[in-house]
Amino acid sequence: MEIGRLHSRLVHRLEAFPGLSEEGRRLIAEIPMLVHNFGPGEDIVREGQSPSQCCLVLRGFVMRHKTAHPAKRQIISFYVPGDLPDLQCLVLPRLDDTVSSLGASVVAMFPHSAIWEMLARSPELARLLWRETLVDAAIARERVTNLGQRDAIARVAHLLCEMNARLNAVGLAHDLQFCIPWTQADVADACGISTVHVNRVIQELRGSNAVEWRGKEIRILNLEQLSKIGEFCPNYLHLSHEGVDEKPSSRLN
Amino acid sequence: MEIGRLHSRLVHRLEAFPGLSEEGRRLIAEIPMLVHNFGPGEDIVREGQSPSQCCLVLRGFVMRHKTAHPAKRQIISFYVPGDLPDLQCLVLPRLDDTVSSLGASVVAMFPHSAIWEMLARSPELARLLWRETLVDAAIARERVTNLGQRDAIARVAHLLCEMNARLNAVGLAHDLQFCIPWTQADVADACGISTVHVNRVIQELRGSNAVEWRGKEIRILNLEQLSKIGEFCPNYLHLSHEGVDEKPSSRLN
DNA sequence: CGCTGAATTGATTAACCTCAACGGGGGTGG
DNA sequence: CCACCCCCGTTGAGGTTAATCAATTCAGCG
């Protein structure tokens, strides 16, 4: 993957935001990036570290998780291409949980210093990056509701709907079909249930003809039904940029 | 409460951050604020709204919650004096959940426009507010772990430890004693368990001499033990501002 | 073809929920 | 000042969900 394409992944993500200027695009293109490959399960940044770089997922999947006892792992969130899993470290230096590769992944790293220089020149981009961290926060809050209020089948259904929506937004889901390199144990740790029970839940979802799910390949057969089971409402993902253009740009400069 | 004190509450919160300049303090003091009183359970901002103001808790407690069915409420987080419960709306206009008063509270409201003007003049303050939203996000992520990996007694113990740490940080806990106007039903909805079970968990905590808990008055008798039960580690609260002074201020201007 | 990690199944157990009832305390109206 | 009431906390019994333990099958891979 040549450098030009790397930047375009970031630009593409940020320009979903209607207000990105030519100047902003140019500044993004100037950020120096280094590409890294990570193997399945490999740690990218560990809890407690204060990295001097941020990473951008280019290909594959990344997860953020907290592992106290080896047998008690909570996956906080999954990250898909275009996501910035540890962007918050720019402002809150110490990382609270570990970021690891789920399956093999390709990740671009860029130094905090370069970002800060970019932000100093463009309040517009500052706001866009701030926004990215807030969408990540909104996803975490929705997960709180998912774990606190829903039963096992709803949790899994909700997670599926979310991944479908997010992958669809970056062009990685077609016809409600997508591919995530997770095991049932990963799903279990994300949903706070046991692997055995995940298995039974998946069978129940298959049995009700809501999804096809063989290994890493997932196909949603009935999105409406699945959304209902998981009480899924995509608002919290903030995939459309409602309301942002109401702000006069003068306030951003 | 006269206006001068209102601003000082905000200044006090932000100046825990070591780098706040005189200029920053002056800019904060210029923000126009309106004080509102809210009764128990009263909504401050509702899900789906796009408020044009932010609020700062001055006195009492505020909570953020999502209520699907009336009988299925998840309390995402509690906010204590000095917190900015809907600061994120500055950047992500639509609110994903509802912010309500827990017990009676006093809240200061200030217009987004004034904040934006302030931020345009002070990248330092922009960074501080960004930081505030990220700490809020970190708390939500910790709650994910709390709900996903811990059993009922650990969840409640963890919540108690968190509230103690946060209240202590703003001078509202003394000798491990504090007062929160919640009911057992509120604790239940925050921890994702039933009110009946909350009651039994509290009795268990009382029985093990970890806490005294009568109504709204809470006293932690054995913090070490309670932290162990709740697997509580305060790092995620980011109460100390580790590492921030390592950033040269030139990057902020 | 054997090995290894993942998926699947069954049986038992533990944690927690639901329903239902009762008690107590503070506020309100008579 | 008393009586009532309502909300909250408390208790008990029975039911449900999901965890745990343990074994078996399956799929990919060297």
Side-chain angles (χ1 to χ4, degrees), chain B residues 228-248:
Chain B
K228 198 173 163 190
I229 294 173
E231 299 174 15
F232 177 73
C233 171
N235 289 351
Y236 71 96
L237 293 172
H238 296 270
L239 292 172
S240 65
H241 293 255
E242 79 294 330
V244 291
D245 37 9
E246 295 165 14
K247 303 267 169 196

PDB file of all heavy atoms in Angstrom, chain B residues 228-248:
ATOM      1  N   LYS B 228     -10.762  -4.047  47.030  1.00  0.00           N
ATOM      2  CA  LYS B 228     -10.448  -5.413  46.617  1.00  0.00           C
ATOM      3  C   LYS B 228     -11.706  -6.122  46.112  1.00  0.00           C
ATOM      4  O   LYS B 228     -11.695  -6.767  45.067  1.00  0.00           O
ATOM      5  CB  LYS B 228      -9.845  -6.169  47.805  1.00  0.00           C
ATOM      6  CG  LYS B 228      -9.087  -7.413  47.408  1.00  0.00           C
ATOM      7  CD  LYS B 228      -8.386  -8.000  48.626  1.00  0.00           C
ATOM      8  CE  LYS B 228      -7.973  -9.439  48.365  1.00  0.00           C
ATOM      9  NZ  LYS B 228      -7.514 -10.088  49.604  1.00  0.00           N
ATOM     10  N   ILE B 229     -12.789  -5.961  46.848  1.00  0.00           N
ATOM     11  CA  ILE B 229     -14.046  -6.573  46.426  1.00  0.00           C
ATOM     12  C   ILE B 229     -14.443  -6.055  45.042  1.00  0.00           C
ATOM     13  O   ILE B 229     -14.856  -6.802  44.178  1.00  0.00           O
ATOM     14  CB  ILE B 229     -15.175  -6.267  47.435  1.00  0.00           C
ATOM     15  CG1 ILE B 229     -14.890  -6.948  48.774  1.00  0.00           C
ATOM     16  CG2 ILE B 229     -16.530  -6.727  46.896  1.00  0.00           C
ATOM     17  CD1 ILE B 229     -15.872  -6.553  49.869  1.00  0.00           C
ATOM     18  N   GLY B 230     -14.306  -4.738  44.846  1.00  0.00           N
ATOM     19  CA  GLY B 230     -14.736  -4.133  43.589  1.00  0.00           C
ATOM     20  C   GLY B 230     -13.645  -4.084  42.545  1.00  0.00           C
ATOM     21  O   GLY B 230     -13.854  -3.537  41.464  1.00  0.00           O
ATOM     22  N   GLU B 231     -12.490  -4.649  42.836  1.00  0.00           N
ATOM     23  CA  GLU B 231     -11.344  -4.609  41.916  1.00  0.00           C
ATOM     24  C   GLU B 231     -11.110  -3.183  41.428  1.00  0.00           C
ATOM     25  O   GLU B 231     -10.881  -2.930  40.242  1.00  0.00           O
ATOM     26  CB  GLU B 231     -11.569  -5.530  40.711  1.00  0.00           C
ATOM     27  CG  GLU B 231     -11.742  -6.994  41.090  1.00  0.00           C
ATOM     28  CD  GLU B 231     -12.107  -7.865  39.891  1.00  0.00           C
ATOM     29  OE1 GLU B 231     -11.942  -7.402  38.751  1.00  0.00           O
ATOM     30  OE2 GLU B 231     -12.576  -8.991  40.111  1.00  0.00           O
ATOM     31  N   PHE B 232     -11.182  -2.262  42.355  1.00  0.00           N
ATOM     32  CA  PHE B 232     -11.119  -0.849  41.978  1.00  0.00           C
ATOM     33  C   PHE B 232      -9.683  -0.354  41.891  1.00  0.00           C
ATOM     34  O   PHE B 232      -8.886  -0.564  42.803  1.00  0.00           O
ATOM     35  CB  PHE B 232     -11.869  -0.011  43.008  1.00  0.00           C
ATOM     36  CG  PHE B 232     -11.812   1.466  42.759  1.00  0.00           C
ATOM     37  CD1 PHE B 232     -12.535   2.039  41.717  1.00  0.00           C
ATOM     38  CD2 PHE B 232     -11.017   2.291  43.543  1.00  0.00           C
ATOM     39  CE1 PHE B 232     -12.478   3.399  41.484  1.00  0.00           C
ATOM     40  CE2 PHE B 232     -10.960   3.655  43.314  1.00  0.00           C
ATOM     41  CZ  PHE B 232     -11.692   4.209  42.281  1.00  0.00           C
ATOM     42  N   CYS B 233      -9.396   0.286  40.804  1.00  0.00           N
ATOM     43  CA  CYS B 233      -8.097   0.925  40.611  1.00  0.00           C
ATOM     44  C   CYS B 233      -8.373   2.299  40.010  1.00  0.00           C
ATOM     45  O   CYS B 233      -8.956   2.401  38.936  1.00  0.00           O
ATOM     46  CB  CYS B 233      -7.233   0.087  39.688  1.00  0.00           C
ATOM     47  SG  CYS B 233      -5.720   0.901  39.198  1.00  0.00           S
ATOM     48  N   PRO B 234      -8.000   3.369  40.691  1.00  0.00           N
ATOM     49  CA  PRO B 234      -8.482   4.708  40.319  1.00  0.00           C
ATOM     50  C   PRO B 234      -7.794   5.323  39.108  1.00  0.00           C
ATOM     51  O   PRO B 234      -8.131   6.445  38.729  1.00  0.00           O
ATOM     52  CB  PRO B 234      -8.178   5.532  41.583  1.00  0.00           C
ATOM     53  CG  PRO B 234      -7.031   4.844  42.226  1.00  0.00           C
ATOM     54  CD  PRO B 234      -7.164   3.387  41.897  1.00  0.00           C
ATOM     55  N   ASN B 235      -6.894   4.610  38.481  1.00  0.00           N
ATOM     56  CA  ASN B 235      -6.156   5.217  37.374  1.00  0.00           C
ATOM     57  C   ASN B 235      -7.057   5.839  36.321  1.00  0.00           C
ATOM     58  O   ASN B 235      -6.788   6.918  35.804  1.00  0.00           O
ATOM     59  CB  ASN B 235      -5.260   4.169  36.699  1.00  0.00           C
ATOM     60  CG  ASN B 235      -4.090   3.789  37.568  1.00  0.00           C
ATOM     61  OD1 ASN B 235      -3.842   4.427  38.603  1.00  0.00           O
ATOM     62  ND2 ASN B 235      -3.372   2.750  37.186  1.00  0.00           N
ATOM     63  N   TYR B 236      -8.130   5.137  35.988  1.00  0.00           N
ATOM     64  CA  TYR B 236      -8.974   5.583  34.883  1.00  0.00           C
ATOM     65  C   TYR B 236      -9.646   6.923  35.141  1.00  0.00           C
ATOM     66  O   TYR B 236     -10.153   7.564  34.221  1.00  0.00           O
ATOM     67  CB  TYR B 236     -10.033   4.524  34.562  1.00  0.00           C
ATOM     68  CG  TYR B 236     -11.112   4.396  35.622  1.00  0.00           C
ATOM     69  CD1 TYR B 236     -12.319   5.074  35.484  1.00  0.00           C
ATOM     70  CD2 TYR B 236     -10.944   3.592  36.750  1.00  0.00           C
ATOM     71  CE1 TYR B 236     -13.316   4.952  36.445  1.00  0.00           C
ATOM     72  CE2 TYR B 236     -11.928   3.472  37.708  1.00  0.00           C
ATOM     73  CZ  TYR B 236     -13.106   4.144  37.547  1.00  0.00           C
ATOM     74  OH  TYR B 236     -14.093   4.044  38.493  1.00  0.00           O
ATOM     75  N   LEU B 237      -9.675   7.336  36.412  1.00  0.00           N
ATOM     76  CA  LEU B 237     -10.292   8.629  36.728  1.00  0.00           C
ATOM     77  C   LEU B 237      -9.373   9.789  36.352  1.00  0.00           C
ATOM     78  O   LEU B 237      -9.823  10.933  36.256  1.00  0.00           O
ATOM     79  CB  LEU B 237     -10.642   8.691  38.215  1.00  0.00           C
ATOM     80  CG  LEU B 237     -11.737   7.719  38.652  1.00  0.00           C
ATOM     81  CD1 LEU B 237     -11.880   7.724  40.169  1.00  0.00           C
ATOM     82  CD2 LEU B 237     -13.068   8.087  38.003  1.00  0.00           C
ATOM     83  N   HIS B 238      -8.116   9.508  36.189  1.00  0.00           N
ATOM     84  CA  HIS B 238      -7.141  10.532  35.782  1.00  0.00           C
ATOM     85  C   HIS B 238      -7.213  11.752  36.685  1.00  0.00           C
ATOM     86  O   HIS B 238      -7.275  12.892  36.203  1.00  0.00           O
ATOM     87  CB  HIS B 238      -7.352  10.921  34.311  1.00  0.00           C
ATOM     88  CG  HIS B 238      -7.092   9.794  33.370  1.00  0.00           C
ATOM     89  ND1 HIS B 238      -5.859   9.536  32.818  1.00  0.00           N
ATOM     90  CD2 HIS B 238      -7.906   8.812  32.903  1.00  0.00           C
ATOM     91  CE1 HIS B 238      -5.925   8.473  32.040  1.00  0.00           C
ATOM     92  NE2 HIS B 238      -7.162   8.008  32.074  1.00  0.00           N
ATOM     93  N   LEU B 239      -7.245  11.491  37.974  1.00  0.00           N
ATOM     94  CA  LEU B 239      -7.346  12.600  38.925  1.00  0.00           C
ATOM     95  C   LEU B 239      -6.014  13.323  39.080  1.00  0.00           C
ATOM     96  O   LEU B 239      -5.990  14.531  39.310  1.00  0.00           O
ATOM     97  CB  LEU B 239      -7.826  12.073  40.283  1.00  0.00           C
ATOM     98  CG  LEU B 239      -9.269  11.570  40.255  1.00  0.00           C
ATOM     99  CD1 LEU B 239      -9.638  10.884  41.564  1.00  0.00           C
ATOM    100  CD2 LEU B 239     -10.236  12.717  39.968  1.00  0.00           C
ATOM    101  N   SER B 240      -4.932  12.604  38.974  1.00  0.00           N
ATOM    102  CA  SER B 240      -3.643  13.300  38.933  1.00  0.00           C
ATOM    103  C   SER B 240      -3.342  13.560  37.461  1.00  0.00           C
ATOM    104  O   SER B 240      -3.803  12.839  36.583  1.00  0.00           O
ATOM    105  CB  SER B 240      -2.558  12.432  39.542  1.00  0.00           C
ATOM    106  OG  SER B 240      -2.368  11.281  38.756  1.00  0.00           O
ATOM    107  N   HIS B 241      -2.601  14.603  37.226  1.00  0.00           N
ATOM    108  CA  HIS B 241      -2.417  15.012  35.838  1.00  0.00           C
ATOM    109  C   HIS B 241      -1.042  14.583  35.348  1.00  0.00           C
ATOM    110  O   HIS B 241      -0.241  15.383  34.912  1.00  0.00           O
ATOM    111  CB  HIS B 241      -2.619  16.512  35.707  1.00  0.00           C
ATOM    112  CG  HIS B 241      -4.032  16.899  35.983  1.00  0.00           C
ATOM    113  ND1 HIS B 241      -4.915  17.246  34.994  1.00  0.00           N
ATOM    114  CD2 HIS B 241      -4.742  16.921  37.125  1.00  0.00           C
ATOM    115  CE1 HIS B 241      -6.091  17.504  35.522  1.00  0.00           C
ATOM    116  NE2 HIS B 241      -6.016  17.318  36.823  1.00  0.00           N
ATOM    117  N   GLU B 242      -0.823  13.308  35.456  1.00  0.00           N
ATOM    118  CA  GLU B 242       0.481  12.753  35.102  1.00  0.00           C
ATOM    119  C   GLU B 242       0.780  13.001  33.632  1.00  0.00           C
ATOM    120  O   GLU B 242      -0.074  12.870  32.778  1.00  0.00           O
ATOM    121  CB  GLU B 242       0.499  11.260  35.410  1.00  0.00           C
ATOM    122  CG  GLU B 242      -0.189  10.383  34.381  1.00  0.00           C
ATOM    123  CD  GLU B 242      -1.697  10.614  34.292  1.00  0.00           C
ATOM    124  OE1 GLU B 242      -2.312  10.979  35.325  1.00  0.00           O
ATOM    125  OE2 GLU B 242      -2.253  10.452  33.205  1.00  0.00           O
ATOM    126  N   GLY B 243       2.022  13.385  33.397  1.00  0.00           N
ATOM    127  CA  GLY B 243       2.463  13.409  32.003  1.00  0.00           C
ATOM    128  C   GLY B 243       2.093  14.657  31.233  1.00  0.00           C
ATOM    129  O   GLY B 243       2.697  14.950  30.218  1.00  0.00           O
ATOM    130  N   VAL B 244       1.129  15.407  31.707  1.00  0.00           N
ATOM    131  CA  VAL B 244       0.666  16.523  30.885  1.00  0.00           C
ATOM    132  C   VAL B 244       1.702  17.625  30.770  1.00  0.00           C
ATOM    133  O   VAL B 244       1.789  18.303  29.756  1.00  0.00           O
ATOM    134  CB  VAL B 244      -0.624  17.148  31.453  1.00  0.00           C
ATOM    135  CG1 VAL B 244      -1.758  16.183  31.282  1.00  0.00           C
ATOM    136  CG2 VAL B 244      -0.448  17.527  32.896  1.00  0.00           C
ATOM    137  N   ASP B 245       2.496  17.792  31.824  1.00  0.00           N
ATOM    138  CA  ASP B 245       3.464  18.877  31.784  1.00  0.00           C
ATOM    139  C   ASP B 245       4.677  18.528  30.922  1.00  0.00           C
ATOM    140  O   ASP B 245       5.554  19.354  30.715  1.00  0.00           O
ATOM    141  CB  ASP B 245       3.909  19.236  33.204  1.00  0.00           C
ATOM    142  CG  ASP B 245       4.014  18.021  34.077  1.00  0.00           C
ATOM    143  OD1 ASP B 245       3.911  16.896  33.538  1.00  0.00           O
ATOM    144  OD2 ASP B 245       4.215  18.162  35.273  1.00  0.00           O
ATOM    145  N   GLU B 246       4.683  17.293  30.435  1.00  0.00           N
ATOM    146  CA  GLU B 246       5.778  16.934  29.549  1.00  0.00           C
ATOM    147  C   GLU B 246       5.608  17.560  28.171  1.00  0.00           C
ATOM    148  O   GLU B 246       6.562  17.711  27.429  1.00  0.00           O
ATOM    149  CB  GLU B 246       5.851  15.421  29.389  1.00  0.00           C
ATOM    150  CG  GLU B 246       6.206  14.714  30.702  1.00  0.00           C
ATOM    151  CD  GLU B 246       5.916  13.236  30.618  1.00  0.00           C
ATOM    152  OE1 GLU B 246       5.710  12.741  29.507  1.00  0.00           O
ATOM    153  OE2 GLU B 246       5.885  12.580  31.671  1.00  0.00           O
ATOM    154  N   LYS B 247       4.378  17.904  27.856  1.00  0.00           N
ATOM    155  CA  LYS B 247       4.135  18.517  26.545  1.00  0.00           C
ATOM    156  C   LYS B 247       4.607  19.955  26.571  1.00  0.00           C
ATOM    157  O   LYS B 247       4.137  20.746  27.384  1.00  0.00           O
ATOM    158  CB  LYS B 247       2.638  18.520  26.221  1.00  0.00           C
ATOM    159  CG  LYS B 247       2.022  17.158  26.239  1.00  0.00           C
ATOM    160  CD  LYS B 247       2.034  16.544  24.865  1.00  0.00           C
ATOM    161  CE  LYS B 247       1.664  15.072  24.985  1.00  0.00           C
ATOM    162  NZ  LYS B 247       2.003  14.317  23.787  1.00  0.00           N
ATOM    163  N   PRO B 248       5.501  20.298  25.683  1.00  0.00           N
ATOM    164  CA  PRO B 248       5.898  21.698  25.615  1.00  0.00           C
ATOM    165  C   PRO B 248       4.689  22.567  25.269  1.00  0.00           C
ATOM    166  O   PRO B 248       3.886  22.207  24.411  1.00  0.00           O
ATOM    167  CB  PRO B 248       6.933  21.736  24.482  1.00  0.00           C
ATOM    168  CG  PRO B 248       6.987  20.385  23.894  1.00  0.00           C
ATOM    169  CD  PRO B 248       6.203  19.447  24.726  1.00  0.00           C
TER     170      PRO B 248
END
